[in-house]
Amino acid sequence: TQSTRPQRLLSAVQKNATRGNPRSVVRAIDEFCRHKEWAMNVGDEKGCILDSIVSEVNPVTVLELGTYCGYSTVRIASLLPPNAKLITLEFNPDFAAIARQVIAWAGLQDKVQLVEGSSGDWIPKIQEQFGINTFDLVFLDHWKDRYLPDTKLMEKCGLLRKGSVLVADNVICPGTPDYLEYVRSSPCYKSQYFISHLEYTKAEDGLEKSVFLG
Ligand SMILES: CCCNc1ncnc2c1ncn2[C@@H]1O[C@H](/C=C/CNC(=O)c2cc(-c3ccc(F)cc3)cc(O)c2O)[C@H](C)[C@H]1O
Ligand SMILES: [Mg+2]
């Protein structure tokens, strides 16, 4: 049977990256997506901006919405302190299966909890299931029309505390207009746009960093 693009991406990691070396996994995926088959990872250019924000926040608890193949999961987890935990939600079982193997190849399975399920179902259950009260950092990269409802859900569930940082991918392309309007106009957020390019292309895109003010 014909392989899928995520399966071919995983094969490229297993062929070209060194087990236990997250940077080589990130490099192998970027090479594959730049020269073989485009895929919707945050990519190397926006990835560097994400790295700088993660390093500045130095989070102990991280939530990622939309794992896909695990590229940003590996990028973020590789920068976390030893006691930190990253929970990543992915509701497509095929993508979850690929991402688990990418995360394992990077040797980061002890820092990452991949939860197979939808954000709407899981955001209300995280505190009881994982003993996490609030998140220091949230990376939003799932369906673009779900950024706003899920942000409001996180607020309602008390998962954000004064200083929690939201980083949203694709606020220009494909775009998340309702989310952008919300975080930029709400008195509860201090928002900042980091201009960049859509992964592996020359089109404009960027990340929006929004600090929750409580
Ligand atoms: C209702 C369930 C919600 N809750 C959910 N709960 C859990 N998991 C969820 C939920 N909703 C979705 N997911 C998962 O997250 C992933 C989805 C990721 C979506 N990402 C994009 O669509 C995108 C497009 C482009 C793009 C740009 C230009 C182009 F020309 C083409 C494409 C670029 C980019 O960087 C992009 O991130 C994964 C595929 C999907 O199974
Ligand atoms: Mg994205």
Side-chain angles (χ1 to χ4, degrees):
T1 53
Q2 179 65 6
S3 69
T4 65
R5 178 168 306 184
Q7 282 169 333
R8 294 191 293 273
L9 182 149
L10 172 61
S11 302
V13 166
Q14 294 167 331
K15 179 166 170 280
N16 303 315
T18 310
R19 269 183 186 283
N21 180 334
R23 298 311 309 167
S24 76
V25 169
V26 167
R27 191 182 327 110
I29 295 173
D30 284 329
E31 289 295 304
F32 175 77
C33 293
R34 187 173 289 284
H35 302 300
K36 298 281 189 335
E37 299 187 62
W38 188 92
M40 57 184 175
N41 317 118
V42 73
D44 43 358
E45 195 180 317
K46 288 184 288 177
C48 282
I49 300 168
L50 177 61
D51 290 354
S52 63
I53 295 170
V54 172
S55 302
E56 173 205 350
V57 175
N58 204 27
V60 173
T61 54
V62 181
L63 176 64
E64 176 179 63
L65 303 180
T67 317
Y68 187 42
C69 295
Y71 174 90
S72 49
T73 320
V74 167
R75 239 192 134 113
I76 295 168
S78 69
L79 297 174
L80 298 181
N83 58 322
K85 280 300 282 179
L86 188 160
I87 294 181
T88 183
L89 305 183
E90 174 53 61
F91 76 164
N92 179 307
D94 301 326
F95 297 146
I98 297 291
R100 283 190 207 288
Q101 295 173 80
V102 168
I103 293 160
W105 197 269
L108 292 166
Q109 63 282 2
D110 297 344
K111 280 199 162 105
V112 174
Q113 173 101 38
L114 193 159
V115 178
E116 208 171 304
S118 112
S119 51
D121 297 341
W122 274 95
I123 284 171
K125 294 193 292 192
I126 283 174
Q127 285 151 326
E128 62 174 317
Q129 292 286 326
F130 301 104
I132 285 178
N133 280 323
T134 58
F135 285 103
D136 302 324
L137 181 86
V138 182
F139 182 55
L140 298 95
D141 196 19
H142 57 332
W143 295 151
K144 307 313 160 193
D145 63 356
R146 305 300 303 179
Y147 285 23
L148 183 52
D150 283 347
T151 297
K152 290 182 171 172
L153 184 58
M154 287 187 284
E155 289 172 14
K156 184 176 87 89
C157 297
L159 283 170
L160 305 181
R161 47 108 178 136
K162 198 187 293 288
S164 289
V165 173
L166 305 186
V167 181
D169 189 25
N170 309 117
V171 295
I172 303 300
C173 176
T176 63
D178 59 347
Y179 173 81
L180 221 39
E181 160 63 27
Y182 180 73
V183 290
R184 289 178 175 176
S185 61
S186 163
C188 296
Y189 291 91
K190 173 90 182 72
S191 225
Q192 188 181 356
Y193 175 59
F194 292 78
I195 193 165
S196 183
H197 293 97
L198 175 67
E199 49 266 28
Y200 319 115
T201 78
K202 292 186 172 17
E204 181 184 341
D205 190 22
L207 302 177
E208 187 83 358
K209 174 194 172 191
S210 307
V211 183
F212 186 61
L213 303 174

